[in-house]
Amino acid sequence: DTGVSQDPRHKITKRGQNVTFRCDPISEHNRLYWYRQTLGQGPEFLTYFQNEAQLEKSRLLSDRFSAERPKGSFSTLEIQRTEQGDSAMYLCASSSTGFRENSPLHFGNGTRLTVT
Amino acid sequence: QKEVEQDPGPLSVPEGAIVSLNCTYSNSAFQYFMWYRQYSRKGPELLMYTYSSGNKEDGRFTAQVDKSSKYISLFIRDSQPSDSATYLCAMSRNGANNLFFGTGTRLTVIP
């Protein structure tokens, strides 16, 4: 399977702990996106990278959140001092430059975070 | 007011029925419109993509965009039990950078 891969699939952590998620995009895609989805809601945009450059960040991305894509390939999303409100599905997606009909966003299956 | 409104359902239909799913939006700058299907515990999967107003058909699926009414629709013909999923509308101003999603409509197709 050469789709978007996310790890881990599930993470349970205690409030105040730090967590880190990893995303491996489709290999030829240079854009990578992070979205957050809470129960019963649609995904919400967090941030995106073109190659290694982080080009846009949502206001949802508080200073406890940091995302990196150091070599323009895989990306990590770290949440520091987790809060119960951080419990959600964190989705990663990738695409090629210039959104065209043949370059849609391909989503991974997400990392489900539960903060207790 | 949310930028994209979508009835969460749930919606139950018998197999073979025509399904109509809809979203409304408030931002007239949206130009790209998409429908995603999401199965339980999976990521969203792109079904349909439309630029600006008009219709697009792909097999049993038809997407319609009416920018004058700020209203988009997805029709599913001859619905199958395998179509049971949550359907999310999404839209953006300038392509894929920042998609605005609806809440999703949960559909069940009963055999």
Side-chain angles (χ1 to χ4, degrees), chain B:
Chain B
Q1 181 188 5
K2 287 186 176 181
E3 294 206 62
V4 181
E5 298 281 354
Q6 183 175 10
D7 185 341
L11 181 62
S12 292
V13 300
E15 183 175 354
I18 297 174
V19 176
S20 173
L21 304 167
N22 311 293
C23 289
T24 58
Y25 62 96
S26 56
N27 190 336
S28 58
F30 288 143
Q31 295 196 76
Y32 296 84
F33 304 92
M34 289 136 275
W35 285 94
Y36 283 84
R37 178 175 61 195
Q38 187 172 27
Y39 291 113
S40 180
R41 302 185 184 280
K42 299 289 188 181
E45 169 194 11
L46 182 71
L47 280 178
M48 300 289 282
Y49 158 78
T50 310
Y51 173 70
S52 194
S53 286
N55 295 356
K56 182 173 182 179
E57 186 173 326
D58 184 1
R60 297 184 295 111
F61 299 90
T62 300
Q64 291 184 350
V65 175
D66 182 349
K67 290 188 70 180
S68 62
S69 302
K70 298 190 180 66
Y71 188 87
I72 70 170
S73 302
L74 177 71
F75 297 95
I76 308 174
R77 291 183 299 280
D78 187 26
S79 55
Q80 302 295 310
S82 59
D83 295 329
S84 298
T86 296
Y87 290 79
L88 296 152
C89 63
M91 47 200 78
S92 71
R93 292 183 286 268
N94 55 1
N97 299 347
N98 184 352
L99 294 183
F100 291 84
F101 281 85
T103 55
T105 299
R106 186 171 178 181
L107 171 68
T108 301
V109 180
I110 303 167

Side-chain angles (χ1 to χ4, degrees), chain A residues 37-110:
Chain A
Q37 186 176 24
T38 54
L39 198 63
Q41 300 297 315
E44 295 175 296
F45 171 79
L46 292 178
T47 187
Y48 94 96
F49 294 82
Q50 181 159 312
N51 300 314
E52 66 275 10
Q54 189 173 16
L55 297 186
E56 189 174 344
K57 292 194 290 187
S58 162
R59 289 172 294 174
L60 294 174
L61 211 66
S62 76
D63 57 5
R64 296 185 297 105
F65 288 69
S66 62
E68 293 183 343
R69 194 182 183 198
K71 297 183 180 178
S73 56
F74 73 92
S75 175
T76 59
L77 177 67
E78 180 183 17
I79 308 174
Q80 295 181 326
R81 305 181 304 280
T82 52
E83 302 173 356
Q84 287 188 322
D86 297 331
S87 296
M89 174 82 86
Y90 290 84
L91 292 162
C92 177
S94 68
S95 74
S96 300
T97 302
F99 186 82
R100 302 183 303 274
E101 186 168 349
N102 60 347
S103 300
L105 261 68
H106 292 265
F107 281 88
N109 286 324

